[in-house]
Amino acid sequence: MLANIRVILSNTSHPGNIGATARAMKTMGLTRLFLVNPKVFPAAEATARASGADNVLAGAVVCPDIETALSGCRLVLGASARTRSIPCPVINPAACARMAYAESERSEVALLFGCERSGLSNAEIDRCQYLVQIATNPDYGSLNLAAAVQIISYEILVAHDQPGQGIDRADHVPADAEEMERFYRHLEETLVKLEFLDPDNPRQLMRRLRRFYNRARPDENEVNILRGILSAAQQGIKRQ
């Protein structure tokens, strides 16, 4: 099931951190590394810092955007040290690991890490069902990217050895990231046509709606029902 868990690094600026991440992953049994617009890759420094995890680097998938990296994933867990103005459910690394491991029994899971300087962007957080926060010294919370990957990867290995600890294994299978993005585009288009959303002054409406539906994690049938309602609303507008 660990093969269904992918680690995604977005806009990594230092190739050494990519190599150190590969080493951290392999040590804990994870092998699937995705890179979104890395500044430098491949690189000799990445290979040197991988310290033998060359197969993880060789198999790394370089993606042009976050949509490609998340393709096929039904659960996206983002690592973020910062609180946000619009709340997103926050869990600790142990809860993240239990959730990721349980979900990996039936579908693809993404662990998403932002760039070293600023972490995940708001647009990247919009794709996450949960944010993972690692407890640190309140007076010095600077955690290296690879170290964050190591901590969460370790907790996943622990969850692998203790499966089913406090995890709901219901048959509910959430819609994947691509289907949810199609729904969000349809929702925004409909809200604009209903004149509920002003595209020139959207404020935080779509972000709040994303948070709402990401918490709910609707399945494919539920998304189809919601999109059917949106299509009916659009037809109603045309008949007016």
Side-chain angles (χ1 to χ4, degrees):
M1 293 189 297
L2 294 179
N4 282 337
I5 300 175
R6 66 183 71 171
V7 172
I8 302 174
L9 305 184
S10 179
N11 294 285
T12 309
S13 61
H14 196 293
N17 286 328
I18 296 174
T21 292
R23 179 181 182 179
M25 291 171 58
K26 185 170 183 178
T27 302
M28 299 302 162
L30 300 177
T31 59
R32 299 183 64 205
L33 177 61
F34 286 64
L35 306 172
V36 179
N37 290 321
K39 186 174 182 179
V40 182
F41 188 81
E45 188 167 2
T47 302
R49 292 285 300 277
S51 297
D54 302 300
N55 62 318
V56 177
L57 282 185
V61 180
V62 179
C63 305
D65 49 49
I66 196 68
E67 289 81 6
T68 305
L70 292 177
S71 177
C73 292
R74 297 184 188 276
L75 176 64
V76 182
L77 303 162
S80 178
R82 294 187 294 140
T83 56
R84 306 290 171 151
S85 58
I86 298 178
C88 185
V90 175
I91 56 178
N92 63 29
C96 163
R98 292 193 298 270
M99 188 178 298
Y101 186 72
E103 188 79 21
S104 70
E105 284 192 77
R106 57 191 179 184
S107 59
E108 295 273 332
V109 176
L111 304 174
L112 178 59
F113 297 82
C115 70
E116 299 94 329
R117 183 177 58 83
S118 57
L120 295 174
S121 67
N122 285 330
E124 288 167 339
I125 289 177
D126 286 345
R127 302 302 190 94
C128 301
Q129 278 78 39
Y130 296 89
L131 292 182
V132 187
Q133 290 191 346
I134 299 171
T136 59
N137 178 355
D139 296 324
Y140 186 72
S142 178
L143 191 64
N144 176 266
L145 172 60
V149 174
Q150 183 80 78
I151 290 169
I152 295 175
S153 298
Y154 165 77
E155 293 290 355
I156 289 174
L157 186 62
V158 171
H160 175 273
D161 293 334
Q162 300 173 346
Q165 299 297 311
I167 296 296
D168 179 8
R169 293 177 179 268
D171 291 332
H172 175 76
V173 179
D176 65 24
E178 294 159 301
E179 184 61 36
M180 289 305 297
E181 283 307 302
R182 286 191 287 269
F183 165 67
Y184 289 132
R185 288 194 293 270
H186 195 174
L187 177 60
E188 183 171 9
E189 175 189 283
T190 304
L191 293 177
V192 170
K193 289 184 177 180
L194 288 170
E195 297 183 352
F196 187 83
L197 172 63
D198 180 357
D200 295 323
N201 187 26
R203 297 181 182 272
Q204 301 276 11
L205 178 60
M206 285 306 302
R207 182 152 288 138
R208 289 185 180 278
L209 288 172
R210 279 177 174 269
R211 297 285 196 273
F212 173 74
Y213 285 109
N214 282 347
R215 288 197 302 271
R217 301 189 69 199
D219 63 26
E220 185 175 344
N221 286 333
E222 291 164 341
V223 171
N224 288 338
I225 291 170
L226 291 170
R227 294 195 64 183
I229 294 170
L230 296 177
S231 295
Q234 290 184 347
Q235 290 298 319
I237 295 170
K238 290 179 181 179
R239 287 194 295 267
Q240 290 179 357

